[in-house]
Amino acid sequence: MKVLVIGGGGREHALCWKLAQSARRPKLYCAPGNAGTAQHAENVPIAADDFDKLLSFARKQAIDLTIVGPEEPLCAGIVDRFTAAGLRMFGPTAAAARLEGDKTFAKQLMREVGVPTAEARMFGPTAQEIAQAKQSGRGRDELSYKDFQSGYDMARHYVSTRDEGIVVKAAGLAKGKGVFVHPDPSEALLTLERLMVQRELGEAGQRVVIEELLTGPEVSVLALVDGLNIYLLESAADHKRLGEQDTGPNTGGMGAYSPATTLTESDLATIERDVFVPIVDALRRDEIVYRGVLYAGLMMTTAGPKVLEFNCRFGDPETQPILMRLESDLLDAVEATIDGRLDQIELRWDRRAAVCVVMASGGYPGDYPKGHAIDGLKEAGALPDVQVFHSGTATRADQIVTAGGRVLGVTALGDTISQARQRAYEATKLIRFEGAYLRGDIAMQASNR
Ligand SMILES: Nc1ncnc2c1ncn2[C@@H]1O[C@H](COP(=O)(O)OP(=O)(O)O)[C@@H](O)[C@H]1O
Ligand SMILES: [Mg+2]
């Protein structure tokens, strides 16, 4: 069996690593992959957004199954393209992936079916303004806020009436850079200007969601969904902020651990019943069949769990500790999802905990250098119960070098979060590259609980 994984980050390395353990011994390809995926798969130099080339590669190689890692190709409809061509693919269609790609769509759906989430207002161009802008014959990039003045003015007005903390979110995909948390609501005015007038995030910020600022521990609950059946995976939590004690700018994620120690079995049952079931059913009612991973980012508030967002794929870096704990064959679970057989599978999990510590390039999430040699990977990977997942790495003349902002996800298993954490940090000490940055407090609070 031939399996193609699309993407080139830590999540994709973890997917390839796990698929390589399948009893069915699949032949693996990864496009474009990284130096880590190359240990298990044949890397194919095709970008994750080059649908034409991916499709012709899959056809020529007679790929039996393609698994999509990142959200951009999913939201842009790669599953629709592959499926129309008769190819098997794991992931939601564009219509279903809108749950992640359009935060106003997700919010409206949650409201409609009563899923607990932050109170919110949404602002953006009116249908009339969009029609007028289209008629003017100018391209998307030529449009300015003047074309959509009313949404901006209304958003400003709304913000000026708030005296408690608010969160401003660009509605579209923004690689984790589209959410602005403002304990002082007056600061949100500048964010609105940057998003809606300067259009710093382009079309993604043309519409915004402004919501109440919630507090509480954050957790990630991922489920396999086969259109009808929902199978919750082991829980996880990640650390978004760059700095220790959750300070500094948001990043793609500086570390993660599984299980999320703040979640009880009864919380998970509540989340399945009040979040996953109504959302999957509402989509089905609208003839949208959700197939793939559905990921709910939640905040455990004193009033219960509330959804911050949905993702339409495996999280990065949550996937690294989750898959470290999965004992069952991932390939079987993926196929059961595609074939609508999730009611017939039972996944086995390692009862131990897993912690993933991200090592990043100095300067990330801003500009950072690339091409620094990475040493000590073998020594770190040889430690018991340790896996070094690669994110931004490449091979140059037999030497593994840095090639991205997040470089490695050093992941370890342990009897407790505290032990897993200790092992992961021990492993990071063996790895060296110039300017390496990591947070020293990943899973620290959780290990004290
Ligand atoms: N309503 C909210 N109240 C407080 N913090 C929030 C709220 N919404 C989002 N956040 C914070 O911002 C982060 C990113 O928001 P999220 O909605 O997950 O967007 P994305 O992952 O697309 O950037 C969250 O992980 C959380 O820390
Ligand atoms: Mg998020």
Side-chain angles (χ1 to χ4, degrees):
M1 181 179 193
K2 290 183 177 178
V3 179
L4 168 65
V5 173
I6 294 180
R11 163 183 49 213
E12 287 76 21
H13 184 187
L15 287 167
C16 289
W17 169 80
K18 190 66 202 167
L19 290 167
Q21 295 163 29
S22 169
R24 287 148 71 191
R25 308 204 133 271
K27 162 82 180 141
L28 299 174
Y29 299 87
C30 190
N34 58 36
T37 63
Q39 298 165 13
H40 316 285
E42 187 177 322
N43 281 349
V44 184
I46 306 177
D49 62 358
D50 194 339
F51 292 5
D52 292 336
K53 280 202 182 131
L54 289 169
L55 198 59
S56 74
F57 173 82
R59 278 215 180 100
K60 209 173 344 168
Q61 291 293 329
I63 298 291
D64 298 292
L65 167 68
T66 304
I67 300 174
V68 189
E71 61 274 22
E72 290 90 357
L74 290 168
C75 291
I78 193 166
V79 173
D80 308 71
R81 274 289 295 280
F82 268 59
T83 320
L87 294 167
R88 252 161 99 71
M89 193 169 237
F90 177 78
T93 58
R98 248 184 110 193
L99 270 185
E100 172 165 7
D102 180 353
K103 288 188 196 287
T104 64
F105 171 75
K107 188 63 88 177
Q108 264 152 359
L109 197 64
M110 284 192 274
R111 261 188 197 163
E112 213 178 284
V113 295
V115 169
T117 182
E119 291 296 326
R121 297 283 308 269
M122 292 168 257
F123 301 94
T126 60
Q128 197 189 6
E129 283 171 327
I130 290 176
Q132 274 172 2
K134 268 194 192 142
Q135 268 176 8
S136 75
R138 287 166 300 154
R140 277 177 179 168
D141 297 341
E142 297 165 277
L143 301 174
S144 79
Y145 86 97
K146 291 207 176 67
D147 294 291
F148 308 124
Q149 177 112 32
S150 66
Y152 176 59
D153 289 345
M154 280 163 69
R156 282 179 63 87
H157 175 73
Y158 175 68
V159 162
S160 70
T161 67
R162 308 301 302 172
D163 46 24
E164 276 168 27
I166 50 176
V167 179
V168 179
K169 301 185 175 190
L173 289 185
K175 295 191 193 306
K177 290 182 182 143
V179 171
F180 304 85
V181 179
H182 295 298
D184 171 0
S186 67
E187 290 168 3
L189 292 173
L190 183 60
T191 299
L192 289 176
E193 189 189 318
R194 288 174 56 192
L195 291 177
M196 300 178 92
V197 180
Q198 319 287 355
R199 292 169 75 92
E200 281 182 16
L201 297 175
E203 226 191 334
Q206 181 170 294
R207 284 174 299 135
V208 297
V209 177
I210 304 180
E211 62 184 41
E212 62 176 323
L213 197 161
L214 303 172
T215 52
E218 271 184 72
V219 296
S220 307
V221 179
L222 285 72
L224 297 174
V225 178
D226 69 4
L228 180 65
N229 302 294
I230 295 159
Y231 197 109
L232 258 53
L233 305 181
E234 285 289 290
S235 62
D238 74 339
H239 294 269
K240 294 250 158 35
R241 302 292 196 95
L242 181 70
E244 290 175 8
Q245 268 97 52
D246 295 322
T247 54
N250 267 328
T251 68
M254 294 303 296
Y257 56 92
S258 171
T261 42
T262 46
L263 275 180
T264 62
E265 280 300 316
S266 110
D267 289 332
L268 282 170
T270 305
I271 290 165
E272 176 163 8
R273 185 193 64 209
D274 295 348
V275 175
F276 283 90
V277 170
I279 289 293
V280 171
D281 284 354
L283 289 173
R284 251 157 50 91
R285 177 203 61 199
D286 296 338
E287 286 165 25
I288 298 171
V289 180
Y290 196 103
R291 254 189 227 108
V293 172
L294 180 56
Y295 163 145
L298 300 133
M299 201 165 256
M300 305 303 289
T301 73
T302 49
K306 293 198 179 185
V307 175
L308 299 179
E309 66 156 348
F310 288 111
N311 292 326
C312 62
R313 33 88 195 171
F314 282 111
D316 190 344
E318 296 92 323
T319 302
Q320 289 83 314
I322 290 177
L323 290 185
M324 277 286 274
R325 297 186 56 218
L326 178 65
E327 288 175 348
S328 302
D329 196 318
L330 177 63
L331 196 49
D332 291 342
V334 162
E335 293 216 298
T337 308
I338 298 177
D339 297 336
R341 289 186 284 105
L342 278 178
D343 53 337
Q344 292 163 33
I345 68 159
E346 197 63 59
L347 297 180
R348 278 174 291 103
W349 298 93
D350 194 322
R351 313 267 323 183
R352 290 177 294 169
V355 172
C356 168
V357 177
V358 168
M359 298 180 76
S361 297
Y364 173 78
D367 292 337
Y368 51 83
K370 290 184 188 176
H372 289 314
I374 309 173
D375 293 316
L377 288 169
K378 275 218 181 76
E379 292 78 357
L383 294 178
D385 295 319
V386 170
Q387 282 302 323
V388 181
F389 294 115
H390 293 218
S391 304
T393 66
T395 308
R396 298 271 173 276
D398 285 342
Q399 168 70 52
I400 294 180
V401 299
T402 64
R406 290 187 294 166
V407 178
L408 302 166
V410 182
T411 312
L413 285 165
D415 290 334
T416 58
I417 294 258
S418 164
Q419 191 185 60
R421 175 170 192 276
Q422 208 179 323
R423 285 190 178 149
Y425 275 110
E426 242 166 67
T428 64
K429 290 202 189 95
L430 300 175
I431 300 173
R432 289 166 309 275
F433 60 88
E434 201 182 312
Y437 170 78
L438 54 77
R439 268 179 68 164
D441 66 340
I442 300 302
M444 184 143 90
Q445 272 196 329
S447 65
N448 294 335
R449 271 194 288 268

